Structure formats: structure tokens, C-alpha cells
Amino acid sequence: MNTSTKLIIGVIGVAVIAVAWWLISPLFLTETVDEGLPPTAVETPVPEEETEEETTETPEAQPSQTEVAGVFMDGEKNYETTGTIRSVEAEDGTYLRFEEFETTNGPDLFVYLTKPGQETTEGVSLGSLKGNIGNQNYLVPADVNLEEYNTVVIWCRAFSATFGTGELAVTSE
């Protein structure tokens, strides 16, 4: 073998080892996160009792955000996912908060919101999964209606596989 052939085989060998590590390491490595509530979380105000004076005035309509919640379920094959999902209102937008969350780790996991009957990749990406264990927050784009996009999907782009799903239901309006 000449030197260039050995060099090519070496480069290919290193590339194969790197790809194998990327694909296999999530099976035995975990990433734990523990995010608090979004820093600008707005506390839900306690309604005050109305007086007769206040009822004679016409109050301005305030836009109300829909609160949603759900529970994660396992994905396809042997991918296990557990935890709860709830929406959290903050000054900078609405967040989906995963609590007591745990899923099988994978090499290329992302969080998506989908409508009923919609393919995962056609949904709205909320970004890569921050960790396969722990509490975490994901900002929902302002133009997304959580009554329409009612499924959260943990999606592995590398294998086109669903690691877990959570159906969102309206808790109050």
C-alpha cells in the first residue's frame, strides 16, 4: 500500500468512528437539565371583588391566553417518554414547560408542535431537546395557536423516529 491509500483509509476510519460515536453514545450517556420557570413568568392575578361603581363602566376586553396541559406517552419501538407538559405565560411570550420529563436519549432529538393529522416535520420546531431528563422550557412562536397545534412530539431527525408524544388539552380560557 502506498502512503496516499493509507491516508485515505485512515481518514475514512476516523469518520466512521466519529459517526458511530454520535449514533451510539446517547444509548449510555444522559443529559440532565433543571430549568426554573421562565424568568419573566407572570403570576396569575387573583380576581378582585367588583363594586357597584366598577360594574357601571364597560371594561376593555383583555386578550386571554389559552392554558394547555398534557402528559407524555411513549413513542414508537422501545422509546420511552414520561412527564407532564403545561403552558406558562411570561412577558416575552408563552412557553411549554416539561416537568418530571424523561425520555430515551437519541443522537438528534428535537421538539415539534403538530396539528392533528400533520406529519412531524411539517409542524413547528421549538428547537433541539435540551436534555433527555429534567424540567425544561420551550418558547412557543407568537403566531402559534396551542388549540390548533395540540401535539408535542419528541422527534429524532437522524432516524425519523418519534421518541414520545404529548397531547395538549385546554385547561381554562
Side-chain angles (χ1 to χ4, degrees):
M1 277 190 184
N2 62 25
T3 306
S4 63
T5 304
K6 289 179 183 178
L7 183 60
I8 291 172
I9 290 173
V11 168
I12 291 172
V14 168
V16 167
I17 290 171
V19 169
W21 175 257
W22 180 72
L23 293 172
I24 295 171
S25 66
L27 296 176
F28 53 87
L29 298 177
T30 62
E31 182 150 355
T32 303
V33 296
D34 190 17
E35 291 185 324
L37 288 170
T40 57
V42 177
E43 295 294 323
T44 306
V46 177
E48 297 178 16
E49 293 183 24
E50 293 184 27
T51 62
E52 287 182 34
E53 240 175 64
E54 292 174 346
T55 57
T56 58
E57 298 176 13
T58 305
E60 291 184 24
Q62 296 292 326
S64 64
Q65 295 290 3
T66 302
E67 293 180 15
V68 295
V71 176
F72 276 108
M73 298 173 286
D74 294 342
E76 57 191 71
K77 302 179 185 171
N78 294 325
Y79 305 128
E80 297 178 0
T81 302
T82 60
T84 60
I85 317 159
R86 67 180 175 104
S87 61
V88 175
E89 294 301 321
E91 290 176 5
D92 61 342
T94 301
Y95 286 81
L96 284 181
R97 177 161 174 82
F98 300 175
E99 294 180 328
E100 299 178 9
F101 176 77
E102 189 168 343
T103 189
T104 305
N105 204 2
D108 201 19
L109 298 180
F110 282 79
V111 179
Y112 280 87
L113 281 172
T114 61
K115 294 179 180 179
Q118 187 178 43
E119 292 293 321
T120 300
T121 55
E122 295 172 353
V124 176
S125 175
L126 300 183
S128 62
L129 189 69
K130 296 174 183 177
N132 66 308
I133 299 173
N135 302 328
Q136 42 204 290
N137 305 308
Y138 295 90
L139 183 62
V140 177
D143 61 339
V144 171
N145 180 347
L146 291 175
E147 290 182 54
E148 292 177 24
Y149 288 88
N150 63 353
T151 304
V152 178
V153 181
I154 308 302
W155 177 254
C156 177
R157 290 195 315 192
F159 296 116
S160 296
T162 301
F163 274 49
T165 60
E167 297 294 324
L168 300 174
V170 175
T171 58
S172 69
E173 290 191 44

